[in-house]
Amino acid sequence: MTIRLYDTNARQIRDFVPLTAGCVSIYLCGATVQAAPHIGHIRSGLNFDIMRRWFEHRGYDVTFIRNVTDIDDKIIAKAAEQNRPWWSIGYENERAFNDGYTALGCLPPTYEPRATGHVTEMVEMMQGLIERGHAYEADGNVYFDVRSFPGYLELSRQELDNLQQPSGVGETGKRDPRDFAMWKTAKPGEPTWATPWGRGRPGWHLECSAMAHKYLGSAFDIHGGGLDLIFPHHENEIAQAKAFGDEFARYWVHNAWVTMAGDKMSKSLGNSVLVSEMVKTWRPIVLRYYLGTPHYRSMIEYSEESLREAESAFARIEGFVQRVVEKAGPVEPSAEVPPAFAEAMDDDLGVPQALAIVHTTVRQGNSALAADDKEAAVARLAEVRAMLGVLGLDPLDEHWAGETDRGDDLHGVVDSLVRLVLDQREAARGRKDWATADAIRDQLNQSGLAIEDGPQGPRWSLGPR
């Protein structure tokens, strides 16, 4: 089946046809590094990590570019506020973003260019746009003339006459208030670079157009980012790139937000949940399950209750994996995923439907274990591992090995203590003192331990919090 994706520009799901057979090129708007990431930021990286993994599973060679915006108004403002160099703010938070991506199991991008490393390409693009009559210099600023480009606002479906283009301090000399800045003239205390029009710094939109052209050429397959980037950022990227002569992106894919009380999670609203803090309370693989398994176009309303539900759901999967490995030893993932899982993923990355196949397969595997059908249980685990690998959630993957190893030095001690209590429970059951046996089990459950009775006796595992 052909992979199909919802194209924001077309407002419909389209069959994916790559520019080059067997290859996929993706540009994702990455971090603006004025502060450490919250889980809303990392959700975008996770969604496109799953997209990338699915294309690779389908046999495509993927080039995945995720940029870093390391200079913009917010970074400069933070530097002034904290009395620090702008580049130290950017580098510190770039590392925090990469730590977050890594913690939640995102594969590294093919290239991760920084905006400040591509000023030469930006100047070349501006020169080309001025020569073609799409841009002009005024007071050391360089602006894009929106009326010169007939396709402007096709992505966001706005009317030019009703447009209110955001402007920054010092953006003087515009011919039309709706024109947007590609280059901003030097201001006291700000970082600057030399250009034919004087010293200054790049505008946000120009950075991505220049970097996409540098790494993916004049045309590429997919441009991704959050819904909030459709306007003005992606609209202005399109205008610059196409007016320059590029075909630019052929598919536009946007992920939805993580919200709190209905509002988009953002630093400005003061409602952000930092990844660095979340991983102290929740296992990173559970956070990945929570953020990565809803459909990428669906909003996620953050709550601890929904996180606990995700933890419990993943614990059922992980428990099955552990039981089969204990019984049969290591099991390699299947080469192929079940057809129903593939069908769901091919249909606009239908992760919720695909995940339902995972849970169904887990239930079948648990039934096989209960029937002591080792061969069937092993077959189901091979399928489960293949599916979880696509989602980046295979607990046996080496990336998550540190999670299962955490606390191993205490595991033997805890096991001995729990075994003493379980022996007391077994003794109570032996004398048919069911009330005492049930009370012991309830007490262990309240302590965060899940107890399962099997043919070989009771076994314990960490249950959902």
Side-chain angles (χ1 to χ4, degrees), residues 65-113:
I65 309 299
R66 186 182 67 209
N67 78 292
V68 175
T69 298
D70 60 341
I71 185 68
D72 84 333
D73 293 343
K74 294 176 182 177
I75 295 171
I76 292 171
K78 283 284 176 111
E81 177 187 313
Q82 298 179 20
N83 194 28
R84 294 171 57 191
W86 63 271
W87 41 263
S88 72
I89 298 280
Y91 183 62
E92 175 183 285
N93 292 311
E94 180 182 341
R95 291 186 64 181
F97 267 87
N98 282 328
D99 288 346
Y101 290 132
T102 300
L104 270 63
C106 293
L107 300 172
T110 310
Y111 305 109
E112 192 168 27

Side-chain angles (χ1 to χ4, degrees), residues 217-239:
S218 61
F220 57 95
D221 292 308
I222 299 168
H223 196 310
L227 283 173
D228 52 318
L229 299 182
I230 293 174
F231 182 84
H233 187 49
H234 288 166
E235 196 72 76
N236 292 351
E237 278 189 65
I238 292 170

Side-chain angles (χ1 to χ4, degrees), residues 252-274:
W252 286 87
V253 179
H254 291 91
N255 64 276
W257 304 327
V258 179
T259 60
M260 293 181 72
D263 288 323
K264 170 181 173 270
M265 187 173 286
S266 68
K267 300 182 185 74
S268 61
L269 291 175
N271 61 5
S272 58
V273 183
L274 296 181

Side-chain angles (χ1 to χ4, degrees), residues 264-465:
K264 170 181 173 270
M265 187 173 286
S266 68
K267 300 182 185 74
S268 61
L269 291 175
N271 61 5
S272 58
V273 183
L274 296 181
V275 177
S276 58
E277 294 302 312
M278 293 290 287
V279 296
K280 295 176 183 176
T281 307
W282 302 91
R283 294 172 60 203
I285 198 169
V286 169
L287 281 176
R288 183 179 177 101
Y289 185 98
Y290 171 67
L291 294 170
T293 54
H295 194 275
Y296 74 90
R297 289 194 285 123
S298 298
M299 297 292 181
I300 299 175
E301 175 66 16
Y302 171 79
S303 71
E304 286 209 1
E305 181 182 357
S306 57
L307 254 168
R308 284 192 293 270
E309 290 172 356
E311 182 181 53
S312 180
F314 185 72
R316 291 194 292 273
I317 296 172
E318 193 171 33
F320 164 69
V321 173
Q322 291 170 347
R323 284 191 292 273
V324 178
V325 171
E326 287 173 7
K327 189 178 186 68
V331 176
E332 291 300 312
S334 299
E336 296 297 330
V337 295
F341 180 94
E343 184 177 352
M345 292 298 291
D346 281 339
D347 187 13
D348 194 31
L349 304 176
V351 174
Q353 294 78 13
L355 191 64
I357 307 303
V358 174
H359 282 286
T360 297
T361 310
V362 167
R363 286 194 294 271
Q364 293 168 349
N366 281 328
S367 296
L369 284 172
D372 203 26
D373 187 345
K374 177 179 172 181
E375 184 177 348
V378 167
R380 299 294 78 75
L381 176 54
E383 293 171 346
V384 166
R385 286 201 66 193
M387 293 185 282
L388 293 177
V390 166
L391 302 176
L393 288 168
D394 181 1
L396 300 181
D397 186 275
E398 63 180 11
H399 177 80
W400 304 113
E403 283 214 345
T404 56
D405 291 344
R406 287 188 306 178
D408 272 0
D409 53 336
L410 292 177
H411 187 278
V413 175
V414 174
D415 184 63
S416 297
L417 293 173
V418 174
R419 289 291 164 197
L420 287 174
V421 179
L422 289 178
D423 288 344
Q424 293 174 13
R425 177 173 174 264
E426 287 302 292
R429 284 160 61 95
R431 61 179 183 267
K432 298 186 179 181
D433 183 357
W434 309 117
T436 298
D438 289 344
I440 292 173
R441 178 175 183 141
D442 291 344
Q443 203 165 13
L444 288 171
N445 286 338
Q446 290 171 11
S447 301
L449 299 175
I451 308 302
E452 293 181 57
D453 293 310
Q456 281 76 45
R459 68 186 298 275
W460 67 272
S461 61
L462 290 176
R465 68 187 66 231

